[in-house]
Every structure is written in C-alpha cells, then in structure tokens.
Amino acid sequence: MSLRPSIAPLSPRGAVWGRSLAAGLICVWALVLSAKASAEIVIVPDPMAAPEYGELAGAVSLLVRSYLVTGQRGIVPRRELALAIEALTGSAPGKSLTVPGDLAPKLIERMAADALILWELQVGQKGTTVAGTMVGPGGKRLLRIAAAAATGDVAELARRLAKRIAPAI
C-alpha cells in the first residue's frame, strides 16, 4: 500500500509566483510604514519671551529645529511659517516668529501640520527655562514640554528640549 501526499508539491512555476507575491507584500508594507513616518509635519515657532530675550528665544528655536531635522521628521521652514502667520493675521510677523495660543489651531489647519509647539522662555537668577506644550489639530494638547539650563548655556537647553520633543514626533 503506497501513501500519497494529500497536497501536491508546488511546481517550480508556482514556487516562483509565491516568492514574488511575498516579496511584493513586504515592499507594500515597507512603503506604507515609510509614508506614515514621513507624513508628520511639526511647526516650531520661536518661544514667547520678554523683548530683551528675543534673540535668545530665536537661538533656542533654531538649535531645537536643527536637532529635530533628522530622519523622516518634517519641520516647517521658517519662511513658510512667516508667510502663513502673515496670511492669517494680515501683518508681517517681524523678527521673531512667535505664535499666540489662539492662532495655533488655524495655523495647524492652514499648513496641514500634525502639531505645533507653544512655549515660553524665561530667564531668572537660577538659569534659563523653557516650558510649554505641543498641540495638535483643534488645539488638543499632545505633550508638555519643560527644560532648564544654566544662563547662557543655549546649546544644553536646546538639546534637552529636543530630547523631550523628538519621541513625540
């Protein structure tokens, strides 16, 4: 009595087709994952600050942006941010690109962004601190942000802020 397998072995042509299908599915899966990662757009304006600390706030913002512009993260360019602020408010933003809280949802919608950082820089006797929130569409809070560093240590302050923000984006 001979035993016959209940499933016939694949022909060489069927095996090739199966491998091609598997490779195609892996490619589609990789494209979907990469498309999702590159779709994230974040608006990083300058932190609100007292007029005498405007340049310091701008430096912190630029350093944080430079830390975050890696990989698939999409940080809105400053020029585009300035144009969007001007379009929404009717006046040029000036030297610092700060965004008031009431303008955030409109700006997120206009720029088709996923998030915007609202923050404030303060300089005190104990050092420089930046605190704020990352908001999403509709002004929904996504993340609280806070960091401090010694007065004048802008690079360390920016590094700490970027380290806090990066996992969220």
Side-chain angles (χ1 to χ4, degrees), residues 63-65 67-68 157-167:
L63 283 172
V64 168
R65 292 164 71 75
Y67 282 129
L68 294 176
L157 180 61
R159 187 189 66 75
R160 289 179 181 176
L161 287 165
K163 193 173 182 179
R164 176 76 172 124
I165 297 166

Side-chain angles (χ1 to χ4, degrees), residues 78-79 81-87 89-98:
R78 288 180 64 85
R79 176 75 177 140
L81 176 58
L83 291 172
I85 291 171
E86 183 176 357
T89 62
S91 61
K95 205 175 201 181
S96 70
L97 290 176
T98 58

